[in-house]
Amino acid sequence: MKFLILACVAAVAVAAPQYSYGAPRAASSEERDFVPILKDDRVHEEDGTYNFDFEAANGISFSQSGSPDGDEDAVIKAGEYSYIAPDGSEIHVRFVADENGFQPQGAHLPVAPEFPHPIPQFVLDQIVKAAEEDRNRSDESDEFSAPSRLYGRPN
C-alpha cells in the first residue's frame, strides 16, 4: 500500500507543469534595439468611454477613443495610427469602427478603379430580356412535365 501511495505521489510530481519565469529568448542571435516610449496616456471612464494615446521614439503612434453608443452597447471606436514603413515612407491611417465594421482611410490604401467604360446598350438589353424571361418562367406552373418520348433508347 505504501508503494502505491509513493508511486502516485511520484506520478503527480512528474506530471506537474514546469513553469519558467525567465525572460523570453529571441528566436535569432540578432540584438534588439531599445525603443523608448514617449507617451502612454490611458483614460477609462466608468460609463465605458475611453481614450488612449501612445507614441514611441521609432515613429509609431496610436490614438484611439471609444464609447458604448452602438446597438446593445457595442463600442464605437475612432482613431488613427502611423508608423514608418520599411521603405522609409510614413504610413498614416485614420479609422472608424462601428456597426458598419472597420473603415480605414489612408493615402497608401488601394482604391478600386472606376469602371473603364460605359456598359454597352446591347448588354443592358440582354439584362432586361433575361429579367423578363425569369418573370415569365415564375408565372408558369411549378410542375415539371415528363421527359420527351422523342428520344430513343440507347443502342
Side-chain angles (χ1 to χ4, degrees):
M1 183 69 168
K2 291 179 186 178
F3 178 73
L4 181 62
I5 293 173
L6 183 62
C8 290
V9 170
V12 168
V14 170
Q18 305 297 319
Y19 296 107
S20 172
Y21 294 104
R25 292 185 168 80
S28 66
S29 62
E30 72 181 52
E31 246 182 74
R32 303 281 177 169
D33 292 334
F34 175 74
V35 178
I37 295 174
L38 304 176
K39 179 164 84 171
D40 189 0
D41 296 331
R42 299 167 192 243
V43 177
H44 296 271
E45 302 292 338
E46 289 187 20
D47 65 352
T49 60
Y50 69 92
N51 293 306
F52 73 86
D53 292 315
F54 172 84
E55 186 176 350
N58 63 356
I60 296 174
S61 66
F62 188 75
S63 176
Q64 180 174 310
S65 62
S67 63
D69 294 335
D71 295 338
E72 298 178 16
D73 289 334
V75 177
I76 296 176
K77 302 176 183 184
E80 59 186 321
Y81 61 89
S82 62
Y83 60 93
I84 306 300
D87 66 359
S89 62
E90 182 178 356
I91 304 297
H92 187 84
V93 177
R94 290 176 180 240
F95 66 89
V96 173
D98 57 13
E99 64 273 359
N100 297 320
F102 181 71
Q103 304 158 44
Q105 295 177 348
H108 68 289
L109 295 174
V111 178
E114 293 190 27
F115 201 67
H117 53 79
I119 299 174
Q121 186 59 42
F122 74 91
V123 173
L124 296 173
D125 294 341
Q126 193 66 26
I127 292 171
V128 169
K129 181 180 177 186
E132 287 175 7
E133 288 177 355
D134 286 345
R135 235 185 346 267
N136 293 338
R137 188 175 300 130
S138 65
D139 291 343
E140 295 173 1
S141 173
D142 290 337
E143 295 178 20
F144 294 102
S145 59
S148 174
R149 298 201 185 268
L150 297 177
Y151 297 106
R153 285 193 179 154
N155 292 336

